[in-house]
Amino acid sequence: MALTRDDYHGILHTLGPPGQALPREPESFWQRLLEARAGAFQRVDARADTLIEEADPRTASDLLPDWERVTALPDPCVTGEQTLNARRDGVVRVLTTTGGASRPYFKGLAADLGYDIEIEDYLAHTVGSDVSEPIRGIDWRWAWTVRAPSDTVEYFAVNSGVNEPLASWGNERLECVISRLAPAHSLVLFAYGEDENGG
């Protein structure tokens, strides 16, 4: 907890040597000078207290650009302005994500971006395949489909800035991020507003 101006004035007053050259009367020039210096110390102390919040990217504001520089953000998939919360979430995601190539990893990644998706894998048709299954060539084993709603809406958060939009929508970011992070040997397809049976 930061010390107050009065706390610093008392400390400076106590540190001064006794004598007539440094008067103790509140209206003296010396005491007014100590009061002014106490204000400067109090401001520095209060600012140091805010650095505790800035050290955590989840609460950073002033140092958020530095966090973004360290994590190579903004993401190349981001177009237009981002909300303060989206910027913070991006930094936290880069710092905490371990990567992966599984369904849960990509579903979790999409959820962090604000998308609710399902993932469909494919198998190549073989002699033992069910006759009701579509006939797919061997290359289909590397394909997978991300199924998402036709429109995903991101709403205004309680701690968003006053100049931020009440809602935004679109799926371009989902496609960009997943395509960039998908395993290099795979082919990712995107389908919107469809169920798993293509309806």
Side-chain angles (χ1 to χ4, degrees), residues 123-136:
L123 296 173
H125 189 78
T126 62
V127 175
S129 296
D130 189 338
V131 292
S132 63
E133 291 291 321
I135 297 176
R136 297 187 182 104

Side-chain angles (χ1 to χ4, degrees), residues 154-176:
E154 184 180 348
Y155 293 101
F156 181 82
V158 175
N159 54 352
S160 294
V162 294
N163 59 345
E164 295 176 2
L166 297 177
S168 59
W169 53 92
N171 297 317
E172 296 84 7
R173 187 171 178 210
L174 173 70
E175 289 190 26
C176 182

Side-chain angles (χ1 to χ4, degrees), residues 32-44:
R32 288 191 318 231
L33 179 62
L34 290 183
E35 182 71 26
R37 289 186 174 174
F41 282 115
Q42 185 270 328
R43 283 190 299 277
V44 169

Side-chain angles (χ1 to χ4, degrees), residues 54-70:
E54 297 295 326
D56 185 346
R58 295 170 296 180
T59 55
S61 294
D62 294 337
L63 293 182
L64 187 57
D66 288 322
W67 281 108
E68 289 174 323
R69 178 184 51 78
V70 167

